[in-house]
Amino acid sequence: MSKYKSFQTSNGKLSFLIEKRTLWVTLVLFILCAAAMVISTGIGSQYISPSQVISSLFGQADPTVEIIVEKLRLPRILTAVLVGSSLAVAGAVLQGVIRNPLASPDVTGITDGASLGAVLFIFFTSGTISIKYMPLAAILGAILVTGLLYVLAWRGGVTPLRLVLVGTGLAAALKSISYMFIIAGPMQLAERSITFMTGSIYGASWDSDVYILLPWVVILLPLTWLQARKVNIQALGDEVAVSAGAHVQKHRLLLIVLSVALAGSAIAIGGAIAFIGLMAPHMARKLVGPSFGSVVPVSALLGALILLIADLVARTAFLPADVPAGVFTAAIGAPFFMYQLYKSRNH
């Protein structure tokens, strides 16, 4: 029996194979993610049972419950799903392109570029410009830093090793600059900047978070998944990819642009939530293997699940305080990063 399932469009122009194990893993993770969304929506200062949460989505619950679910909690839950999946896939792309299991938006400077863009926006506008434009500043920061990364790493082409080395240096420099502006600014601006750099989806709403991020995810995730063949070829090495007819530098630039767009848009909404882009792709490869076509959907679901759980703990463990979710992803991710670093040194 074949271990692959084939799919083909009616006109025959697009066809692809998916491993059956990937389909089963994706289905299980989707069910877990849906269950986590329902349970997380119900947990808070006022507990709402899963059946009431589901009823409220269909307009069949008590009006008070519907307000709590639809206006207060559901936007935050959906924001966690969108941000977590975007960061996870961005990390999967970088790990595939750079061919380094330690690569992620945090390590290559993308996260710190977006953070610096947001910090500069807060510092120089000082409330004179609406905060709804801060995501644009974060995305612009990520784009500019990635352009600088590519220029500094270019030596007749860009190699994975140079991207990692230059990106690590840029990340450290950008973080230092961000803290310099935070220290120089007034206390209330420093507090807002620190929250953003830690990563939090507190106060998420439909208009300023979900509706802004949703188009990015709906468009970019499928586009990234369609680039699976290019990532798989590049994983074999530049010489093999070139001999197979691949345009290595062009494809690498396209994939990095997709990664930056996903990470920048997610960071713009959720702040610099760390380590999801590192952890989720590793977990995905353990479950479905190294094929990028399988890693993308599984990483997306794992990233969403990680941030859902982290945010649930963040907002319920220390009631009435609401701790930034990035604190808990960092608490999980830092030991995970050290473990992966130790493994890589011993291989």
Side-chain angles (χ1 to χ4, degrees), residues 25 54 86 96 136 152 174 203 207 212:
V25 170
I54 295 172
S86 296
L136 183 60
L152 293 176
L174 293 169
D207 292 334
I212 290 176

Side-chain angles (χ1 to χ4, degrees), residues 200-221:
S200 174
I201 51 175
Y202 173 79
S205 66
W206 291 104
D207 292 334
S208 60
D209 298 286
V210 177
Y211 293 152
I212 290 176
L213 186 54
L214 185 61
W216 291 82
V217 176
V218 170
I219 294 171
L220 292 175
L221 285 188

Side-chain angles (χ1 to χ4, degrees), residues 28 234 295 325:
V28 170
Q234 290 204 15
V295 168

Side-chain angles (χ1 to χ4, degrees), residues 15-278:
S15 62
F16 49 89
L17 295 174
I18 297 181
E19 195 173 3
K20 290 181 179 178
R21 181 176 63 164
T22 300
L23 290 175
W24 281 110
V25 170
T26 302
L27 178 61
V28 170
L29 286 174
F30 180 82
I31 293 172
L32 287 175
C33 205
M37 290 175 68
V38 172
I39 293 170
S40 184
T41 303
I43 296 177
S45 56
Q46 178 178 334
Y47 176 75
I48 301 172
S49 68
S51 60
Q52 286 180 300
V53 171
I54 295 172
S55 297
S56 68
L57 297 178
F58 293 96
Q60 297 176 352
D62 181 87
T64 303
V65 171
E66 288 186 12
I67 291 173
I68 295 173
V69 170
E70 296 179 13
K71 301 293 184 183
L72 301 178
R73 296 185 185 172
L74 192 57
R76 182 166 179 165
I77 300 303
L78 291 175
T79 300
V81 170
L82 296 173
V83 169
S85 59
S86 296
L87 291 174
V89 174
V93 171
L94 288 174
Q95 290 177 14
V97 170
I98 298 177
R99 302 197 298 273
N100 188 322
L102 300 179
S104 71
D106 319 316
V107 174
T108 54
I110 295 173
T111 298
D112 294 293
S115 297
L116 180 58
V119 169
L120 291 176
F121 176 87
I122 295 170
F123 182 85
F124 285 110
T125 61
S126 301
T128 58
I129 299 177
S130 173
I131 198 70
K132 72 179 182 180
Y133 293 108
M134 190 170 72
L136 183 60
I139 294 172
L140 185 60
I143 293 172
L144 291 176
V145 166
T146 304
L148 180 60
L149 169 64
Y150 223 76
V151 169
L152 293 176
W154 184 273
R155 294 290 185 277
V158 174
T159 64
L161 178 60
R162 280 202 298 270
L163 281 173
V164 171
L165 293 176
V166 175
T168 302
L170 267 179
L174 293 169
K175 193 179 292 290
S176 299
I177 295 171
S178 294
Y179 281 119
M180 181 185 72
F181 279 99
I182 289 172
I183 293 170
M187 183 61 68
Q188 65 270 23
L189 299 183
E191 183 180 351
R192 186 184 297 172
S193 299
I194 289 293
T195 300
F196 184 90
M197 292 183 68
T198 305
S200 174
I201 51 175
Y202 173 79
S205 66
W206 291 104
D207 292 334
S208 60
D209 298 286
V210 177
Y211 293 152
I212 290 176
L213 186 54
L214 185 61
W216 291 82
V217 176
V218 170
I219 294 171
L220 292 175
L221 285 188
L223 279 178
T224 304
W225 182 71
L226 290 174
Q227 304 303 312
R229 184 177 302 175
K230 296 173 183 176
V231 178
N232 290 334
I233 292 175
Q234 290 204 15
L236 301 174
D238 288 4
E239 293 182 1
V240 175
V242 170
S243 65
H247 301 283
V248 173
Q249 297 301 331
K250 184 174 71 174
H251 292 166
R252 184 169 290 153
L253 177 59
L254 171 62
L255 290 163
I256 290 176
V257 167
L258 287 172
S259 177
V260 170
L262 280 167
S265 58
I267 294 165
I269 298 300
I273 297 174
F275 291 112
I276 290 179
L278 174 70

